Amino acid sequence: MGEILALVEARLLAALGEPDARAAVTFLGTDRIEVLRFAGRDVVRYATLGMSAQPMADPTAALADPVKGPRAELVLSVRAGLADTDKLLRPLAVLAATPQVEGLIVAPGASLDLGEPLWPGAPFSSVLVAESGGLVEDLELDEPMEPVRFLPLLPMTHNEAAWKRVRGAQELQERWLSHGTDLRDPLRGSVALD
């Protein structure tokens, strides 16, 4: 487990540079989750470290396989200096602990909902999980382990989350793209959903 996390951290540092802050959260009955902050001039990125220590297990399986199964870490990017996004550390750790706590597999197209704002005053309480392979490349592990995927999180307003449940993740992403939505803007409103 420690070896995997060391490789994951090295991949994050290679892609994003040195973190300027980190926080650790441990929830009852779960492994420790760290959240690293990478502050750039224009964009601040937050990445989890610890979610990939164990593979995510199918909630219908009688026993969780300790080796096989998808592994992931979460990455969220926001424009710097517009909102108090540093309060995002604990909520992001909560989302990263979801597979251990609720037995869910976090995959592209999924929604994760906190039930409260991602940070104080945020218009978002949920996120859409996007495809990996962009900002941070997947980390290949020795067989039979699956690669660690670094999944971007895209904050959704309440209306967008409801629309996504009905129309699907692909249509919401196409709507964002066609309207030129800045998904890194921590103050943005909902995209037009007519």
Side-chain angles (χ1 to χ4, degrees):
M1 177 173 107
E3 182 181 318
I4 291 172
L5 293 184
L7 293 171
V8 168
E9 184 170 3
R11 176 60 53 96
L12 285 169
L13 299 185
L16 304 175
E18 280 294 320
D20 68 327
R22 63 172 65 211
V25 180
T26 304
F27 302 100
L28 188 61
T30 67
D31 294 327
R32 172 180 145 130
I33 304 282
E34 284 190 83
V35 179
L36 284 58
R37 182 182 72 188
F38 300 88
R41 212 169 23 151
D42 300 324
V43 176
V44 180
R45 300 186 197 287
Y46 300 89
T48 64
L49 178 62
M51 181 177 170
S52 62
Q54 304 294 330
M56 292 180 271
D58 182 342
T60 62
L63 288 173
D65 190 312
V67 178
K68 294 181 183 175
R71 295 175 190 262
E73 296 291 351
L74 307 175
V75 180
L76 195 146
S77 302
V78 292
R79 298 233 173 268
L82 300 178
D84 189 10
T85 56
D86 281 349
K87 299 283 195 278
L88 172 66
L89 300 177
R90 183 171 175 76
L92 195 53
V94 168
L95 296 177
T98 301
Q100 290 181 57
V101 174
E102 297 182 22
L104 296 176
I105 294 179
V106 176
S111 299
L112 300 174
D113 195 330
L114 281 169
E116 61 185 47
L118 290 175
W119 56 83
F124 320 104
S125 63
S126 61
V127 293
L128 175 66
V129 181
E131 291 286 342
S132 67
L135 185 62
V136 183
E137 285 185 36
D138 295 347
L139 173 65
E140 298 293 330
L141 299 174
D142 294 336
E143 292 289 338
M145 292 186 283
E146 292 186 31
V148 176
R149 304 198 186 287
F150 297 89
L151 302 171
L153 299 181
L154 309 174
M156 293 188 291
T157 65
H158 294 294
N159 289 343
E160 290 168 342
W163 202 79
K164 182 257 177 196
R165 281 192 293 276
V166 174
R167 305 290 286 271
Q170 184 66 37
E171 284 201 36
L172 178 58
Q173 289 178 304
E174 288 171 8
R175 180 62 56 122
W176 282 335
L177 191 59
S178 69
H179 284 78
T181 305
D182 181 1
L183 297 173
R184 294 179 181 165
D185 182 353
L187 304 175
R188 75 172 181 84
S190 188
V191 70
L193 298 170
D194 46 12

